[in-house]
């Protein structure tokens, strides 16, 4: 492994993602899988080279063609990834996928097939497993032609291949030659399931392609940016739990928001905040089953909250666990030397009042376009809204999960208003019982509070929080959630200040990071989702040419596969966890609205 130890980390944006809605893996354009948690999204990692060196786990399949051009592409309409090497002497492709099989309870398999399309090539394979975030002492041994990887108190995994495998320092290796039209196959997974059978591998590939393509055909989007929207939809489906219906915030943990910085979080969990964005995006594209499944996941959390004296949490595990204690993996060097590498997320203990607005907006949307709320569900919602009537004036840490002192944030007030507004609307629409007078009184009080205390006459714009004149990108949601008209002069004045202070070449920063104001040290990148919110705000304000240009610029910041991480650095390179659900949700919303506006279609699908 001495040679591998020196290998440089591959940048975040040079990765594709594969998965089966239970686990996922990142595949670098070098042919190396250098990130995978298994057998669940939030299980400990087996491959973590992206956060350290290859010694922390990796699975490489690549030709020895040092001068080849490398490309990655998804097989059309799918999450099956192909990495290609094009040189003067050979063309080689590696096809990677996780089979989607009828029995969702089976542990995920990882299938890799290398094919020489033209010429002749020497192929190198290296598979080093490191259980438990590279903390376990993983040992490898040959057994029945396979390599078995085991560690104390960990699940055994194995690698089988259609070519002979050898062992070197507990790493499975193979070096072999292939000519034109020849291929080799590798299957990795649970020790009892991972066996190479050429016919079986081909059948799994056909089944998996058919699954993704049949699912994507449900999309009703036919606009200008179909390729980007459909890739975003496929990403969201990939991040959605087939078993539970929840959707991950992102597929990874510990990737930095700034090279060398400390803002390195674990996003392999499900945030209540993403509820309305998820339901809107899936419903807007015609994926009602996914929207309804996600709402069932959300309702289960609300139901549990009603039976428990503890408040609704902002984040849960995909299976609904509410305790996500944070820990640091100090033995990992971090991506781009960014430490600490964190797992778990202490945000589960935070108070963020905005989640009630996203929750009730999602309930409202689901009732309007999906499954009607049950009697029990409405009773739970009433308890949530009644509690909010008593809490909306309290301080919190806000949407950006500040780790400094609680503040009175405009966005939190806004979303408290949204919660009450949507609850009242839903009750009237469905003739549901509700304390209308009390709720409306609270709704009007919040409305008055925002216009009175968060509008600064002297500065001439809305402000992020009480006692400040700064703005933040969460304020872009004010017209998107219909609190203020998109062309209201006060809102336009605020938008101009956001542009001045937070926008750079279409990339929008969440807020000005000042030492200590958010409880953290250092800076961060521009936030991808906020950048798409900005586009939609421009379009809703009637600034179509500007919105169109900014949107096209943002599309250029995607990686070659159309994927987005959480943030961009100043040069447009990706930062933070990836792929990020909120980034792709915001893209879908901006693309659908802008496309219809540019087409002159006034019959908008409205939340």
């Amino acid at each position: 492994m001495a040679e591998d130890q020196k290998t440089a980390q591959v940048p975040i944006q040079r990765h594709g993602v594969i998965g089966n809605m239970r686990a996922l893996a990142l595949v670098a354009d070098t042919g190396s899988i250098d990130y995978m948690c298994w057998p669940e999204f939030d299980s400990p990692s087996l491959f973590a080279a992206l956060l350290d060196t290859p010694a922390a786990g990796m699975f490489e399949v690549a030709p020895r063609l040092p001068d080849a051009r490398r490309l990655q592409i998804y097989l059309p309409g799918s999450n099956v990834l192909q990495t290609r090497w094009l040189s003067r002497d050979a063309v080689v492709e590696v096809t990677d996928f996780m089979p989607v099989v009828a029995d969702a309870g089976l542990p995920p398999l990882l299938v890799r097939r290398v094919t020489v399309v033209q010429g002749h090539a020497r192929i190198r394979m290296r598979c080093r497993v490191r259980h438990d975030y590279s903390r376990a002492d993983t040992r490898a041994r040959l057994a029945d032609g396979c390599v078995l990887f085991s560690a104390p108190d960990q699940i055994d995994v194995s690698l089988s291949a259609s070519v002979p495998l050898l062992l070197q320092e507990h790493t499975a290796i193979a070096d072999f030659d292939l000519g034109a039209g020849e291929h080799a196959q590798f299957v990795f997974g649970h020790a009892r399931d991972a066996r190479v059978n050429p016919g079986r591998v081909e059948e799994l590939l056909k089944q998996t392609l058919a699954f993704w393509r049949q699912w994507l055909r449900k999309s009703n989007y036919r606009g200008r940016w179909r390729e980007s929207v459909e890739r975003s939809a496929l990403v969201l489906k990939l991040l959605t739990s087939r078993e539970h219906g929840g959707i991950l915030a992102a597929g990874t943990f510990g990737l930095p928001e700034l090279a060398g910085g400390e803002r390195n979080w674990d996003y392999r969990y499900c945030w209540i905040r993403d509820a309305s964005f998820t339901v809107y995006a899936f419903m807007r594209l015609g994926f009602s089953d996914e929207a309804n499944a996600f709402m069932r996941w959300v309702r289960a959390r609300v139901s549990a909250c009603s039976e428990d004296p503890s408040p609704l949490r902002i984040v849960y595990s995909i299976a609904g666990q509410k305790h996500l204690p944070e820990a640091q993996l100090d033995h990992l060097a971090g991506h781009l030397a960014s430490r600490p590498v964190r797992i778990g997320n202490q945000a589960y203990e935070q108070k963020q009042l905005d989640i009630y607005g996203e929750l009730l907006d999602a309930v409202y949307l689901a009732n309007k376009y999906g499954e009607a709320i049950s009697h029990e569900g409405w009773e739970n919602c009433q308890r949530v809204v009644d509690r909010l009537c008593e809490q909306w004036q309290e301080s919190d840490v806000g949407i950006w999960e500040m780790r400094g002192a609680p503040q009175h944030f405009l966005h939190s007030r806004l979303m408290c208003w949204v919660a009450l507004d949507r609850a009242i609307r839903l009750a009237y629409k469905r003739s549901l019982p509700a304390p209308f007078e009390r709720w409306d009184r609270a709704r009007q009080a919040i409305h008055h509070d925002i216009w009175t205390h968060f509008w600064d006459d002297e500065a001439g714009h809305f402000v992020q929080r009480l006692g400040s004149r700064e703005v933040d990108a969460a304020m872009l949601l004010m017209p998107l959630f219909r609190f203020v008209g998109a062309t209201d002069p006060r809102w336009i004045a605020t938008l101009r200040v956001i542009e001045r202070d937070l926008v750079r070449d279409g990339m929008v920063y969440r807020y000005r990071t000042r030492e200590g104001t958010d409880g953290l040290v250092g800076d961060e990148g521009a936030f991808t989702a906020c950048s798409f919110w900005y586009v939609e705000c421009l379009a809703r304000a009637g600034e179509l040419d500007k919105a169109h240009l900014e949107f096209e610029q943002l599309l250029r910041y995607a990686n070659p596969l159309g994927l987005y991480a959480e943030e961009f650095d100043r040069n447009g390179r990706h930062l933070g966890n990836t792929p990020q659900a909120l980034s792709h949700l915001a893209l879908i919303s901006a693309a659908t609205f802008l496309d219809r506006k540019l087409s002159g279609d006034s019959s908008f699908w409205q939340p």
Side-chain angles (χ1 to χ4, degrees), residues 311 351 353 356 387-395 416:
K351 181 176 71 175
L353 295 175
Y356 298 105
R387 187 180 300 171
L388 185 62
C389 287
E390 305 295 331
Q391 291 182 308
W392 68 265
Q393 298 183 72
E394 297 176 3
S395 59
C416 288

Side-chain angles (χ1 to χ4, degrees), residues 250-527:
T252 55
F253 68 89
L255 293 178
E257 298 176 15
L258 180 73
E262 67 167 326
R263 301 165 189 258
N264 316 313
W265 313 109
D266 188 349
Y267 282 176
R268 298 170 299 159
Y269 305 117
C270 193
W271 266 256
I272 293 292
R273 173 174 300 114
D274 294 349
S276 61
F277 302 108
T278 302
V279 171
Y280 175 85
F282 275 141
M283 287 290 188
R284 185 65 192 86
L285 298 180
F287 297 114
S288 57
D289 289 345
E290 285 70 22
N292 289 328
F294 186 73
M295 281 310 303
R296 286 192 288 272
W297 183 92
V298 171
R299 286 166 187 156
R301 311 289 78 77
V302 177
S303 178
C305 172
S306 69
E307 300 166 2
D308 187 328
S310 64
L312 184 67
R313 307 282 178 156
I314 68 168
V315 59
Y316 296 83
S317 77
I318 202 78
Q321 297 168 326
K322 61 183 181 181
H323 297 289
L324 308 171
E326 203 168 280
Q328 297 182 6
L329 302 178
D330 293 332
H331 62 289
L332 296 179
H335 187 75
L336 300 178
S338 307
R339 302 179 70 187
V341 176
R342 295 182 178 91
I343 54 173
N345 200 309
Q346 214 65 32
Y348 80 90
E349 294 182 327
Q350 292 182 342
K351 181 176 71 175
Q352 297 179 27
L353 295 175
D354 67 285
I355 63 171
Y356 298 105
E358 284 99 2
L359 169 64
L360 268 297
D361 190 60
V363 171
Y364 177 77
L365 287 171
N367 273 266
K368 189 173 182 179
Y369 299 105
E371 295 178 350
I373 193 168
S374 66
H375 173 72
E376 180 185 2
W378 179 242
E379 287 188 330
N380 290 335
C381 282
Q382 287 185 82
R383 280 190 282 269
V384 168
V385 177
D386 284 339
R387 187 180 300 171
L388 185 62
C389 287
E390 305 295 331
Q391 291 182 308
W392 68 265
Q393 298 183 72
E394 297 176 3
S395 59
D396 69 352
V397 299
I399 182 176
W400 307 129
E401 299 176 0
M402 304 286 196
R403 298 211 170 188
Q407 306 270 354
H408 291 274
F409 289 101
L410 169 56
H411 180 262
S412 297
R413 288 286 201 280
L414 165 71
M415 298 314 294
C416 288
W417 177 88
V418 169
L420 285 152
D421 180 73
R422 301 314 191 257
I424 292 169
R425 288 172 181 264
L426 178 57
Y428 275 123
K429 180 180 177 66
R430 293 281 316 282
S431 299
L432 296 169
F436 289 104
E437 184 178 347
R438 181 176 187 236
W439 287 4
D440 187 53
R441 187 164 57 247
R443 177 176 62 172
Q444 292 189 45
I446 299 170
H447 190 275
H448 177 77
D449 181 69
I450 291 174
W451 284 99
T452 303
H453 298 121
F454 291 88
W455 170 263
D456 188 311
D457 271 324
E458 186 174 339
H461 60 81
F462 287 105
V463 295
Q464 176 199 38
R465 64 188 189 277
L466 293 184
S468 169
R469 285 190 170 178
E470 294 183 357
V471 294
D472 82 9
M475 295 162 66
L476 293 167
L477 294 173
M478 294 178 74
L480 303 191
F481 279 107
R482 300 181 175 278
F483 175 83
V484 65
T487 59
D488 186 292
R490 292 195 182 191
W491 165 247
I492 295 298
T494 303
L495 181 60
R496 298 286 89 92
V497 177
I498 292 173
E499 288 175 331
R500 182 194 70 196
D501 292 354
L502 301 178
V503 180
R504 181 180 185 273
D505 194 36
M507 297 182 289
V508 180
Y509 292 80
R510 294 190 296 179
Y511 51 86
R512 292 176 176 174
T513 51
R514 300 185 187 281
E515 196 84 4
T517 57
D518 58 7
L520 297 166
V521 175
D523 217 333
E524 66 176 20
F527 206 70

Side-chain angles (χ1 to χ4, degrees), residues 24-232:
L24 58 77
L26 297 187
V27 186
D29 62 6
T30 59
S32 175
I33 294 177
D34 49 18
Y35 174 92
M36 185 174 77
C37 294
W38 188 94
E40 308 291 343
F41 289 123
D42 55 359
S43 294
S45 64
L46 298 179
F47 306 133
L50 186 60
L51 293 153
D52 195 75
T53 69
M58 58 85 206
F59 184 2
E60 177 192 31
V61 178
R64 293 182 179 272
L65 297 171
D67 298 326
R69 181 187 180 195
R70 299 192 304 270
L71 302 170
Q72 283 188 309
I73 188 172
Y74 281 107
L75 298 188
S78 80
N79 281 312
V80 176
L81 182 66
Q82 196 169 87
T83 307
R84 296 172 62 86
W85 287 257
L86 291 83
S87 77
R88 183 182 62 182
D89 301 320
V91 175
V92 180
E93 60 187 28
V94 173
T95 303
D96 291 308
F97 67 101
M98 286 188 181
V100 180
V101 295
D103 186 352
L106 291 175
L109 287 176
L110 174 60
V111 179
R112 314 198 72 186
R113 183 182 68 184
V114 56
T115 303
V116 174
V117 180
Q118 293 180 357
H120 178 278
R122 181 77 171 171
I123 309 298
R124 162 190 166 102
M125 189 285 297
R126 299 288 185 272
C127 182
R128 178 176 176 84
V129 174
R130 294 291 290 160
H131 285 90
D132 192 27
Y133 302 109
S134 193
R135 294 182 294 193
D137 181 21
T138 301
R139 300 282 169 167
R141 61 184 174 86
L142 288 167
D144 299 326
C146 301
V147 175
L148 182 69
F149 299 93
S150 59
D153 302 318
Q154 303 295 317
I155 302 173
D156 290 351
V157 291
S158 71
L159 174 68
S160 65
S162 61
V163 296
L165 298 175
L166 300 173
L167 279 180
Q168 182 181 16
E169 298 180 11
H170 298 288
T171 300
I173 66 171
D175 287 277
F176 52 95
D177 294 307
L178 292 178
E182 295 180 332
H183 60 264
Q185 297 163 324
F186 302 88
V187 179
F188 179 92
H190 194 283
R192 69 170 183 266
D193 300 321
R195 292 289 184 273
V196 163
N197 178 311
R200 179 180 177 232
V201 167
E202 290 303 315
E203 183 60 28
L204 288 173
L205 177 58
K206 289 179 182 178
Q207 289 176 5
T208 302
L209 284 170
F211 172 86
W212 291 118
R213 289 168 178 171
Q214 288 170 9
W215 179 81
L216 191 59
R217 277 198 285 270
K218 298 177 185 177
S219 172
N220 57 24
Y221 182 82
R222 300 293 183 269
R224 291 168 173 78
W225 301 289
R226 184 170 176 177
E227 183 176 352
S228 296
V229 168
E230 290 187 346
R231 178 50 51 196
S232 291

